[in-house]
Structure formats: C-alpha cells, structure tokens
Amino acid sequence: MRAPGLFSDTWQCAAHGTVHPLQPVVPPSVEALGVVVHRAQVPVWMPWPLPVGWLFTGVACAGDDRSGGRATAVACSGPGPLGGPGELLLIAEELGVGLGARYAGIDGPDPGPHLCMAKSPHAKVLAAGRPTPMWHVDGAPTDRAVFAGEARGLWLWAIAWPEQSGLLMYDELVLTDLREAGAEVDLLPCGALSPRILS
C-alpha cells in the first residue's frame, strides 16, 4: 500500500489500484463510535434495539481524511440463538471497497459473483425502516454465516460467528443507521473489543 504523494493524491495498491485504507481499530466506546459516525459517508448499521444480552464490541472504517468513511463495520456480541457466544458484524460499503469481502473471507471486493440469487431471499432485515432482502454468500469459510444485500444503494453485509448465529437473520432484525440516531446512542452498552473486527 502506497500513501498519497507526489504522483497520486489517493492510496494505491499494486494489485488493486486506488483503495480506501482501513483506519486503526480502537476499543469500543460511545466516543469511538461517534468519530466513525461523524466521518462516515455510508450508513453505520447497528441492530436497534440490540438483541437481549448483546453489546456493542467494535467499529471499523475504511477511507481517508479527504474522502471520509467509504465503508463501515460494526461488531456486536452476545448470546447465540442456540446457546454459547455469538458475534455479528454489519458492514456498509460503496461498490469496490472490499471491506465486507475481507471479513467474509471471500475473493473480490463485492459479493455479487458469490450471491445465491437464483432463489428468493434467504433472510430479510428492516434497514432504516425499509424491508431489505439478504442472500447467502457462497464460498465463505464454514465457521461463519455470510449474507449480503443492498440498502440505500450500497452493499450491506451481515456476517455471524459461529455459523449457527446466522439464525439471528431470520428474526426480522431491525437495523438503524447511527448517523440518524438520537441521544439514546449515549446509552449504548459496550463490551470488550471483538477479535473478529481486528482480523
């Protein structure tokens, strides 16, 4: 990765050309979340309200100071639907950024070639008040369930660990764009930093 310089005003990758760099991940707090929300040019999706017993466990952003956040990832952790711990990562990104694919463990920047769209949607979420169909993403490692769809003209990814935690997606999950949330965000319960958002 090459930083902006004399010959280019964007971050450059030898393999992918212009890229949006992943910003350092900091421990989860309302303040850290506020920084990402303020910079984001894309939604910052969060299950709202959080499922019972779940906590906010991290946030990541891809983009630079000039262009702002072009992709966001929010991590939540709590009791899995079938027992044991569960984790959920929600990613919003512009086409070609690749943050969701990185967390999903698939090749390529976008889920399009991997979506199982021959059938009706596998799950639906309510994203900012709109029913949003989500499809399974093929080719992901077997330790996770990966869904993708489109919300507000951008990719929306939902990645759950372990795979059984993907059952959360069948419960009509309600997602809020935290850029539009009010003061109740100050009461968000925070947990320890999720190792999933660091990988």
Side-chain angles (χ1 to χ4, degrees), residues 99-110:
L99 186 61
R102 173 186 173 168
Y103 288 123
I106 62 170
D107 293 329
D110 297 315

Side-chain angles (χ1 to χ4, degrees), residues 12-172:
Q12 296 290 315
C13 169
H16 302 101
T18 299
V19 294
H20 298 286
L22 182 62
Q23 298 300 311
V25 177
V26 296
S29 68
V30 172
E31 294 77 21
L33 185 58
V35 169
V36 170
V37 167
H38 181 71
R39 293 185 72 241
Q41 303 297 313
V42 299
V44 181
W45 296 117
M46 169 81 76
W48 201 261
L50 283 169
V52 174
W54 282 64
L55 304 168
F56 161 61
T57 54
V59 64
C61 179
D64 56 29
D65 291 333
R66 188 174 58 83
S67 65
R70 300 302 181 170
T72 61
V74 172
C76 301
S77 303
L82 299 180
E87 296 195 58
L88 178 66
L89 216 58
L90 294 168
I91 297 109
E93 67 182 353
E94 295 177 348
L95 295 175
V97 174
L99 186 61
R102 173 186 173 168
Y103 288 123
I106 62 170
D107 293 329
D110 297 315
H114 303 276
L115 289 181
C116 305
M117 294 183 75
K119 307 175 192 172
S120 57
H122 297 102
K124 287 186 182 175
V125 297
L126 200 62
R130 294 184 181 266
T132 304
M134 303 286 285
W135 287 268
H136 280 288
V137 175
D138 278 340
T142 57
D143 67 336
R144 67 198 79 179
V146 181
F147 297 85
E150 176 272 324
R152 295 190 168 173
L154 303 163
W155 287 122
L156 167 60
W157 298 76
I159 306 169
W161 289 268
E163 184 184 15
Q164 297 84 358
S165 290
L167 292 173
L168 283 170
M169 298 300 295
Y170 300 101
D171 288 341
E172 290 288 326

